[in-house]
Amino acid sequence: MDAYVLIQTEVGAAADVSAEIGAFEGVLSAEAITGPYDVIAHVRAENVDALGKLVVSRIQLVAGVTRTLTCPIVRL
């Protein structure tokens, strides 16, 4: 399953956060963006449990990350 993870960071941390998250297994891309979120990551996981572990156990623990919003992709 694929999802987009919207990430808020501390001021000035977006570039470092996107670079670190972009190197994680399961992360297809991670880009610094503007707006209410600072980084968007396109991620892929085997199932919803693996997706949750990637977000909670990896992405949320990156220094500078303050909040995440996970948006699973729905294929109709």
Side-chain angles (χ1 to χ4, degrees):
M1 86 177 303
D2 284 17
Y4 289 101
V5 182
L6 304 171
I7 303 161
Q8 290 181 336
T9 70
E10 295 172 356
V11 173
D16 291 338
V17 167
S18 64
E20 185 171 344
I21 290 172
F24 290 170
E25 183 176 341
V27 176
L28 304 177
S29 66
E31 304 291 338
I33 57 173
T34 60
Y37 291 91
D38 304 302
V39 176
I40 186 167
H42 183 188
V43 302
R44 181 168 291 152
E46 241 180 73
N47 53 48
V48 71
D49 290 332
L51 174 61
K53 287 177 185 175
L54 173 61
V55 173
V56 173
S57 299
R58 301 291 310 274
I59 293 173
Q60 288 183 350
L61 297 181
V62 170
V65 171
T66 59
R67 179 177 292 179
T68 63
L69 174 66
T70 304
C71 305
I73 295 174
V74 176
R75 303 208 193 289
L76 301 176

